[in-house]
Amino acid sequence: MRSGTTPSLWCALTLAAAVAPGVFSSRASAQPARPDASRRVVQAWDFEDMVSRVEPVPLGWFRAQDIPGTRDRPGFPGWNVPILSTEQASSGQRSVKLPTRGGNTSLMLSGGAVPALPSCDYVVRARVRSEGLTHARASLEAWLLDAELKPIPGSEVSSGPSLSPGVWETLEAPLRGDERAAWIQIELRLSQPASLRQPRHDQEVFQQDYSGAAYFDDVVIAQAPRVELAIDGKSNIVSWPEEPALRVMVRDLTGEALTVALRVEDLEGVDVAAMTMPAPPAGRENLWKPDLPAFGWYRVHMAVSSSQGEVGRRTASFVWTPQSEAPDTQQRHGFGVIAERLAGARRAALPEFLRRTFSGSVTLGVWRPTLAREEVERWNERLIADAEGLLAEAIDITFVLTEMPAELAREKRVDVDDPIPVLLAPDDPWTGYLARVLTSFGERVRRWQLGPTGSNAALFRTGLQQDTDAIRAKLRRMVPRPVITVPWSLERASVPPGVDGASMYWPLGMGADEIRAALDAAGPGNGLERTVVIETPDETLYGRRAAALELARRAISAWAAGVRRLAIRGPWSDDAPDASTLEPTALAGVWRTLSAALADTKVVGTVNIADGCRVYILDGPRGGMLAGWNDSATPKAAVIEGWLGPGTLRAMDPFGNVAELSRDDDGLYRIPLGDMPVFISGVDTHLALFRAGLRFEPGFLAARAQRHEVGLVISNPWPVGVTGRLRLAKPEEWGISPRVIPFQLGPGASVRVPIELVLALGEEAGRRHVEAEVELTAERRYPVQRFPMSLEIGLPTAELLASYRVETLADGAPGDLIVSLLITNLSDQPLTVEAFAHAPGYRGFSAPISALEPGASTTRRFRLEGGAKALAGRSVRVGLKEQDGTGRLNRTLVIE
């Protein structure tokens, strides 16, 4: 079903429709004697009644096709003929069939057939099914008429396009009441793509269907209670010590007793609060403050029910945040929001939304495709007023030239999202649309972006530098020092000279670990102002938690790469019912936390915890902080351990929830990392940098029976001298000389201490940790620290990937175990080795590999009969042995 219609609601309306009164139904009514327009079900059609005497369509309906000179409807040709049909039915035996032989098809309810009460809300629903359609879509349209049967401007609503091949689904069009309303008119429509989408240029051709049909059945007009669910303000973002207060109002003219059920769900979709109450009488307002477990994003669901079932609903989303100190104005400019397609009352809500999300910059579109020349003055007045409101909040504005007026795009035969050809035109056809905005702001808004964020148009212009120079010269007539920016992509080459700034889109396909390399590949910038626009996962596809997690990870990674201007697409819902409110998504709360946590900091280093963990060291006026998460490490390995600072450490999640961390009996912290990033404040920055600077050089050891010489690097990040003693405590089975190393270093100094290592027999390949115990005195005496340092053990000539599979017997029981070893020659010489596998209770297996060519790979498999059962929960040792050396590459497979 569409538009949130529940089965109980549809059943209730269908049941009511069966007994609804009116000229178009022959069945008697069981409802109390009330005016038709004030009943719950105002009118219903199941299309089982007789046809009209004028056309073979339902009584009271007419074919709204084009009749030249009488009814001009281009695109609705007369050869498309709606009819009553017995081919399909949602209920009963008949439905209305809207066929197409090319073009659109319409069946419309006569004006003056169904009355409406002034200021009363209604909902129109219909069942629809499509057959044989590929491009065309069905829709349900509705609007209000005044007493003179003229459409009331702004009352038009649509279910939106639907394609439901072979399946009945519900379309819904809610009508908002108007004091001028006297009648309701509805239309059942089948539309081709050319009527659904605005062409981007004159040459664009839309495909269409020349056969097929849409079937409509069980059309119902029902009175809907006016259901209001709101939170104070225009942003639905509430900060402690305020608590979210939900304002509930129900206005209903049927006289039925109604019940309101409210429930609140969190980021994970789990219900965290609920209540039920009678609908407030006489449209009065009730206030509910739900008891919430933590700061974060929430959605409240409100359902209004009568004795027959659900009759109305409303949802609203909000963010509850802690009381945080906002970054200063300049720092907030580094956290922006893309709002270039926002307009109307929702754009007027931007100042509050940006203030409460600690966002200091925004992009605004200066055009829209439907903007006609006669509307330019009124449009610009609203744009200027909205921009003035943002400037009053010290918001840094970028005006974006996107969604060009269609009439201008057609004249110049260009794409509506590529303004460069129009700006370069010698007759300057754009000035009538932009002159007032340019002269109104001058120095106050200097940044102009040529095309929508994420566009590729500028990427393919060979003369971009000359183009921007010419456009800059034109803009200088009204803007003294214009800053020209272009939309770009981090996946493309560097931005050519001549451009002042670039809005660099960071697509999801480029991971968080690729940002630094991408920025380096894009060039040094040479004064170029770079804004990285972070793409986030679609919440509807991947879930709200996944979107919040990915935003936090990518923003922190970009900050670590030196980016100082970040932006995201507007973190608000595009389909919020209240046209004057920006209803926040989960990303709004995360964005506020990121701005508060990062704005005045810089990343000064990283802490090596385990493969698959990422931990950054940040420093700023508020002291040291760690930001980290576990990407792919085992939970056991993803732990930050040690004495991290003299005060109390606090962990904060991306929604601002803070928890104090406790020490163990030795005074040390043990902080597990999850997949969601966490900020740990109160950290001693110098100590964290000392830990990060401890390392072996080289960090790779060949797995051979020999003495290895490496260097242990110790660095002093303090502004004072340090003394101390370091003991390489683990692995105890390794031969390490010397194990104890005293050191004394001046401010900023480093030392490389030679170390001899002898690996244990049968040492596993892969990343291994050497634990160092450190006694340290800098500006104070520190407790004994335990720091892990990484060493990679392997063969420089070969790579080994081990796996296994279980063969299943005929009866479905587990049978033999097949162990597979994939060997790749990493050297520039032919490789000769022996692959092996050892399992408890089985003889040893081996297989030679002779003269494997450089870069080539080969696979060796070993069959362990009955191994699936015999080795369940046990380990199999596999590896490679050099034939002409002492190298031995060991790995362990755990059989699950």
Side-chain angles (χ1 to χ4, degrees), residues 111-123:
V114 178
L117 293 175
S119 301
C120 183
D121 293 347
Y122 297 91
V123 61

Side-chain angles (χ1 to χ4, degrees), residues 357-370:
T357 55
F358 296 165
S359 304
S361 58
V362 69
T363 64
L364 295 181
V366 297
W367 286 329
R368 66 177 180 187
T370 58

